[in-house]
């Protein structure tokens, strides 16, 4: 791999530098290798040269008089991303040279007093480091691509599996339900375990699809305002019979007021449901499961503790990995897929939370997780009548959203430009600037044209005028007097369907 | 509409279609089968059905392609529809289902008794 010649490209601003570098390089030549030097005094000439020649290394002189040294470096580094760059600088601009190194330059040299040995060593190491870097990047890209391929494969295969599973399930069910004729007790038992295992397979497929969607970040969260207490109660209802049959006592320690999150309700249900069903599975009769929910400023903390078999300390770090099951339940009955907690971890992290476990073998396990409460959508209500503003706030329920109010158009526009607003509820008839004008101004501004607007109006909305200010003509309208159910569902739907950007800082 | 309580199943997996037919016949319905979109569309146009059970991915465009054609006929547009699919139910599917007044989208594999209950709630047998 050693080449006979190393082609050095020097980009400098005065000719003397070329001469001195040339003379230094010529000394190296006697010792080890041939160096070929080409020099340019501006970037664009250098670019065209790089495009058509094989360059081994670039020396970029930072004693250039202009102020855009870092910009020049970035442009050069982007253009010649596979060629190592070494910065040449004067003692007084070393600082910028170091910044360039942080941004991807291989090294820097202070021009005064460069000896040939130093220059030669720097060049060799720079080339070698760059090659290693490029190999790493390529290997990493390949890995990413393979991982993507694996996930796509997984997802396709899983979908293809659903139909044959459905056919097997229906066939067995028809026999079990005696629709296809009478069966003996032994046949019934055999078919029952067949059905249970078909369901286990179905569960595995559905968990695999979840995992591959989480890993490929294809899962879109459908966020809405929800109450975690309500979800825990619903989960209890779902498992009530199972808990009762297992002789387990289920204790709920929940705050007596709703605990609001702006999150994906289905996924939160899946997180807690998965943890609870695990706890049931590993807790024997007369055992106890305790669900505790607490809230802090911006987060909620929830824990599910059981008095079950527990997990050995050495296994705890593996708990959230895929296909890890400890204390597998033997014999017939429900078996897990080994993916439940991996899904839990993925979903918790997608909601800005963390999940961890405390466990003692033989004593029980506590799984604890946090979730971010928000960010809650910020709604701007623009209406000149204070009573209407209050009605809207009351209908939408104060603790579900954050509200801003404006009584006229100019004020509204100012708020939307300065603050982060997720949705605007806009009255058409306003003092001064009309609602149509407000829409026009917001739609013209790239900073504000994506914010969803809901028009509230007591009068017939002039669709002609509306289509003039909004070419897409997709602004929904709600009639006054406002119908509470309609308002709630429209706002919820708009916040869910729009790719609402919720700024973390609010 | 007639008093037949007739259900049409449009599903390209014939074995599966036959099983669903058997299940629904035992619940007291009269059941017809079609195994592709075109054949299914033709049957809907020619005969009267009280309910359609449709697969989404089939030769000829699938359940939504069938519904698009059927909805051109005002007298056919109000037949209740249940979709049975092995494909993940995403937003696109949900949106389309809303457009065609689909009563339910059921993911395969499903619990048969719940499926029959759903059908009974739409078409009392």
């Amino acid at each position: 791999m050693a080449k006979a010649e190393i082609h050095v490209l020097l980009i400098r601003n005065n000719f003397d530098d070329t001469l001195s570098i040339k003379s230094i390089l010529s000394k190296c030549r006697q010792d080890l290798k041939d160096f070929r030097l080409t020099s340019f005094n501006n970037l664009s000439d250098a670019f065209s040269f790089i495009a058509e020649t094989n360059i081994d290394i670039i020396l970029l002189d930072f004693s250039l008089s202009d102020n855009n040294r870092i910009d020049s470096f970035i442009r050069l580094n982007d253009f010649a991303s596979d060629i190592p760059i070494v910065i040449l600088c004067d003692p007084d601009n070393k600082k910028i040279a170091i910044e360039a190194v942080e941004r991807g330059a291989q090294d820097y040299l202070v021009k005064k007093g460069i000896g040939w040995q130093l220059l030669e060593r720097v060049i060799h190491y720079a080339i070698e480091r760059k090659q290693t870097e490029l190999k790493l990047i390529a290997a990493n890209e390949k890995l990413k691509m393979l991982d993507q391929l694996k996930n796509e494969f997984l997802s396709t295969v899983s979908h293809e599996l659903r139909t044959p599973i459905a056919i097997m399930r229906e066939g067995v069910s028809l026999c079990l339900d005696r629709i296809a004729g009478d069966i003996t007790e032994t046949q019934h038992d055999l078919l029952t375990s067949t059905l249970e295992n078909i369901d286990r397979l179905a569960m595995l497929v559905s968990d695999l699809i979840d995992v591959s969607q989480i890993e490929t970040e294809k899962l879109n969260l459908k966020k809405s305002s929800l109450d975690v207490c309500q979800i825990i109660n619903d989960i209890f209802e779902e498992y009530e019979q199972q808990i009762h049959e297992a002789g387990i006592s289920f204790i709920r320690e929940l705050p007596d007021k709703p605990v609001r999150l702006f999150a994906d309700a289905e996924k939160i249900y899946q997180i807690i449901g998965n943890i609870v069903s695990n706890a049931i599975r590993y807790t024997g009769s007369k055992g106890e499961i305790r669900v505790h929910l607490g809230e802090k400023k911006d987060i909620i903390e929830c824990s599910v503790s059981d008095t079950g078999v527990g997990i050995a300390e050495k296994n705890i770090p593996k708990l959230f990995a895929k296909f890890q099951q400890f204390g597998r339940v033997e014999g017939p009955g429900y078996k897990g897929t080994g993916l439940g907690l991996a899904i839990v971890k993925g979903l918790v992290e997608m909601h800005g939370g963390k999940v961890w476990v405390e466990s003692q073998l033989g004593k029980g396990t506590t799984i604890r997780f946090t979730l971010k409460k928000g960010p809650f959508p910020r709604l701007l209500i623009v209406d000149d009548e204070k009573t209407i503003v209050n009605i809207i706030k009351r209908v939408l329920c104060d603790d579900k959203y954050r509200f801003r109010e404006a009584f006229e158009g100019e004020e509204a526009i100012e708020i939307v430009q300065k603050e982060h607003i997720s949705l605007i509820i806009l009255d058409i008839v306003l003092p001064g600037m009309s609602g149509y004008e407000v829409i026009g101004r917001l739609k013209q501004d790239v900073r504000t044209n994506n914010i969803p607007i809901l028009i509230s109006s007591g009068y017939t909305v002039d669709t002609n005028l509306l289509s003039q200010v909004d070419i897409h003509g997709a602004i929904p309208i709600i009639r006054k007097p406002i119908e509470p159910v309609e308002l709630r569902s429209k706002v919820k739907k708009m916040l869910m369907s729009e790719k609402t950007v919720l700024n973390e800082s609010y | 509409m007639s008093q037949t309580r007739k259900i049409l199943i449009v599903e390209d997996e014939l074995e599966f279609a036959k099983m669903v037919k058997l299940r629904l016949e035992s619940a007291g319905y009269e059941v017809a089968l079609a195994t592709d979109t075109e054949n299914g569309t033709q049957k809907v146009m020619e005969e009267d059905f009280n309910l359609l059970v449709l697969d989404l991915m089939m030769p000829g465009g699938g359940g939504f392609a069938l519904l698009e054609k059927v909805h051109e006929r005002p007298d056919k547009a109000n037949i209740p529809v249940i979709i049975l699919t092995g494909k993940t139910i995403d937003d696109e599917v949900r949106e389309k289902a809303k457009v065609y007044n689909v009563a339910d989208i059921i993911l395969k594999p499903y619990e048969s008794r719940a499926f029959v209950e759903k059908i009974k709630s739409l078409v009392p047998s």
Side-chain angles (χ1 to χ4, degrees):
Chain A
M1 68 167 261
K3 286 201 322 188
E5 182 186 73
I6 291 176
H7 196 162
V8 181
L9 176 68
L10 174 67
I11 305 169
R12 45 69 181 145
N13 71 334
N14 79 59
F15 192 62
D16 292 349
D17 284 339
T18 313
L19 291 178
S20 68
I21 295 285
K22 197 165 193 162
S23 88
I24 298 169
L25 284 175
S26 67
K27 284 182 190 147
C28 307
R29 174 196 214 165
Q30 296 160 2
D31 198 53
L32 267 172
K33 254 187 189 166
D34 269 341
F35 281 99
R36 193 171 132 205
L37 183 71
T38 309
S39 76
F40 289 100
N41 59 5
N42 67 66
L43 271 185
S44 41
D45 286 348
F47 276 16
S48 32
F49 187 72
I50 292 165
E52 57 200 32
T53 326
N54 280 327
I55 306 287
D56 295 296
I57 186 160
I58 299 169
L59 304 179
L60 176 64
D61 192 345
F62 257 9
S63 53
L64 299 156
S65 47
D66 65 276
N67 294 321
N68 302 321
R69 297 184 189 103
I70 275 293
D71 287 348
S72 315
F73 167 72
I74 292 171
R75 276 174 58 205
L76 183 65
N77 195 36
D78 282 348
F79 183 76
S81 58
D82 54 345
I83 305 172
I85 301 172
V86 169
I87 305 294
L88 301 177
C89 66
D90 294 322
D92 57 340
N93 54 31
K94 228 167 97 176
K95 223 172 148 185
I96 320 173
I98 293 170
E99 194 187 334
V101 171
E102 279 164 5
R103 287 167 177 264
Q106 292 298 327
D107 210 342
Y108 72 92
L109 283 167
V110 179
K111 276 194 291 181
K112 222 174 220 170
I114 306 177
W116 65 270
Q117 282 168 313
L118 178 63
L119 182 62
E120 189 188 350
R121 202 168 65 228
V122 164
I123 288 178
H124 278 293
Y125 280 135
I127 293 173
E128 207 176 296
R129 246 194 325 265
K130 187 72 188 186
Q131 277 169 356
T132 315
E133 189 186 303
L134 290 174
K135 272 184 207 154
L136 270 176
I137 291 172
N140 201 27
E141 285 300 313
K142 198 177 168 193
L143 276 177
K144 267 193 207 158
M145 202 193 72
L146 284 173
D147 196 52
Q148 177 79 17
L149 219 60
K150 177 207 77 183
N151 279 311
E152 276 167 19
F153 172 76
L154 203 65
S155 162
T156 313
V157 167
S158 307
H159 288 132
E160 292 301 321
L161 286 171
R162 274 185 175 149
T163 300
I165 293 175
I167 299 174
M168 290 192 288
R169 196 184 195 287
E170 186 58 21
V172 173
S173 298
L174 284 167
C175 296
L176 269 173
D177 293 344
R178 294 179 164 79
I179 291 170
D182 218 2
I183 52 173
T184 67
E185 205 169 309
T186 317
Q187 285 166 346
H188 178 270
D189 291 349
L190 290 170
L191 289 170
T192 303
S193 22
T194 308
L195 188 67
E196 273 171 12
N197 282 281
I198 290 172
D199 284 344
R200 188 171 151 199
L201 191 57
M203 185 79 80
L204 186 61
V205 167
S206 127
D207 279 0
L208 276 172
I209 291 172
D210 281 352
V211 165
S212 77
Q213 284 189 328
I214 290 170
E215 287 185 356
T216 49
E217 287 161 14
K218 272 188 188 151
L219 206 65
N220 291 324
L221 295 182
K222 287 190 201 46
K223 291 190 175 185
S224 63
S225 180
L226 58 89
D227 170 18
V228 190
C229 299
Q230 179 69 47
I231 289 183
I232 292 174
N233 290 331
D234 290 349
I235 289 170
F236 172 69
E237 265 177 45
E238 188 193 328
Y239 289 103
E240 194 170 10
Q241 202 189 341
Q242 212 179 321
I243 290 165
H244 182 76
E245 280 168 8
I248 296 169
S249 48
F250 194 91
I251 299 152
R252 279 167 284 176
E253 296 170 341
L254 312 177
D256 42 21
K257 61 175 182 41
V259 175
R260 293 258 175 235
L261 291 184
F262 192 73
D264 187 323
E266 218 175 276
K267 303 293 177 264
I268 303 299
Y269 193 102
Q270 200 177 352
I271 291 169
I272 306 173
N274 254 325
I275 299 175
V276 167
S277 101
N278 262 339
I280 297 171
R281 190 144 32 99
Y282 294 121
T283 304
S285 71
K286 294 201 182 114
E288 182 189 286
I289 294 172
R290 189 179 290 266
V291 180
H292 178 85
L293 177 64
E295 55 184 322
K296 287 176 189 159
K297 198 168 161 278
D298 300 319
I299 59 164
I300 63 139
E301 191 177 306
C302 182
S303 65
V304 179
S305 312
D306 65 52
T307 56
V309 290
I311 303 149
E313 209 179 324
K314 67 172 174 32
N315 288 330
I316 288 181
K318 293 185 250 170
L319 200 64
F320 294 100
K322 282 171 272 183
F323 296 114
Q324 296 285 349
Q325 280 183 309
F326 310 104
R328 183 182 268 281
V329 180
E330 284 177 22
Y334 178 78
K335 290 181 186 70
T337 59
L339 291 169
L341 286 178
I343 294 170
V344 165
K345 185 167 188 278
L347 294 177
V348 165
E349 284 170 358
M350 281 178 84
H351 282 92
K354 287 196 161 51
V355 58
W356 67 100
V357 63
E358 296 143 25
S359 185
Q360 256 185 302
L361 206 56
K363 290 203 170 156
T365 304
T366 297
I367 293 191
R368 218 181 280 280
F369 64 90
T370 57
L371 295 171
K372 268 203 181 136
K373 282 186 186 170
F376 287 88
R378 284 167 61 88
L379 271 50
L380 172 65
I381 307 168
V382 191
D383 206 305
D384 56 330
E385 277 183 67
K386 180 75 183 161
T387 33
I388 302 275
V389 174
N390 286 340
I391 290 172
I392 293 177
K393 281 165 78 173
R394 206 166 52 237
V395 165
L396 290 175
C397 184
D398 275 336
D399 61 348
K400 284 189 180 177
Y401 307 106
R402 305 284 177 264
F403 293 102
R404 282 291 273 136
E405 300 163 21
F407 299 100
E408 44 103 34
E410 200 68 57
E411 189 190 356
I413 290 170
E414 203 173 299
I415 292 173
V416 177
Q417 282 169 347
K418 282 190 187 151
E419 301 176 20
H420 184 87
I421 297 293
S422 330
L423 176 88
I424 306 162
I425 301 174
L426 177 68
D427 185 16
I428 279 296
V429 185
L430 290 168
M433 190 192 294
S434 79
Y436 301 108
E437 254 177 277
V438 174
I439 296 172
R441 292 261 304 266
L442 294 174
K443 291 290 170 195
Q444 274 162 29
D445 189 337
V446 283
R447 292 170 297 173
T448 57
N449 64 359
N450 276 328
I451 302 172
I453 301 170
L454 174 64
I455 295 173
S456 69
S457 177
Y459 303 90
T460 311
V461 173
D462 187 336
T463 44
N464 245 336
L465 221 50
L466 194 57
S467 62
Q468 280 169 31
V469 290
D470 171 46
I471 43 162
H472 303 293
I475 300 184
I477 299 162
I478 186 160
R479 302 268 308 165
K480 285 181 190 168
I482 285 167
E483 171 60 48
V485 180
E486 190 191 355
L487 178 65
R488 275 188 221 117
S489 81
K490 278 209 161 111
V491 167
K492 192 175 168 183
K493 206 178 140 201
M494 285 174 79
L495 287 172
M496 232 187 245
S497 61
E498 299 283 335
K499 292 232 149 82
T500 319
V501 185
L502 295 160
N503 198 318
E504 296 285 337
S505 57
Y506 290 101
Chain B
M1 213 178 253
S2 64
Q3 296 297 308
T4 45
R5 294 176 199 92
K6 253 171 81 177
I7 296 175
L8 175 68
I9 301 167
V10 190
E11 161 71 63
D12 63 338
E13 296 275 348
L14 183 63
E15 304 104 301
F16 185 63
K18 280 182 181 165
M19 286 176 186
V20 181
K21 182 174 191 277
L22 189 58
R23 165 83 59 188
L24 293 179
E25 279 172 349
S26 83
Y29 295 98
E30 193 184 326
V31 181
L33 291 185
T35 51
D36 64 61
T37 316
E38 203 180 318
N39 187 234
T41 313
Q42 199 183 341
K43 281 212 161 86
V44 183
M45 297 301 194
E46 285 166 3
E47 297 170 47
D48 282 339
F49 293 101
N50 302 72
L51 180 84
L52 308 177
V53 176
L54 307 177
D55 186 15
L56 282 189
M57 292 201 285
M58 279 185 294
F64 285 130
L66 181 147
L67 289 172
E68 198 185 325
K69 290 230 177 69
V70 167
H71 273 242
E72 287 166 8
R73 283 259 304 268
D75 61 317
K76 299 285 182 186
N78 288 324
I79 310 174
V81 176
I82 286 184
I83 281 172
L84 282 184
T85 179
K87 201 184 151 200
T88 302
I89 302 164
D90 55 19
D91 287 348
E92 199 190 327
V93 172
R94 280 200 195 92
E95 282 304 314
K96 276 191 184 165
K98 227 179 266 175
V99 174
Y100 294 117
N101 291 318
V102 171
D104 209 351
I105 314 169
I106 297 172
L107 187 65
K108 290 177 191 170
Y110 56 88
E111 220 284 307
S112 317
R113 260 170 268 186
F115 169 66
V116 173
E117 287 309 311
K118 181 79 212 171
I119 288 187
K120 279 185 179 162
S121 74
L122 293 168
V123 187
S125 61

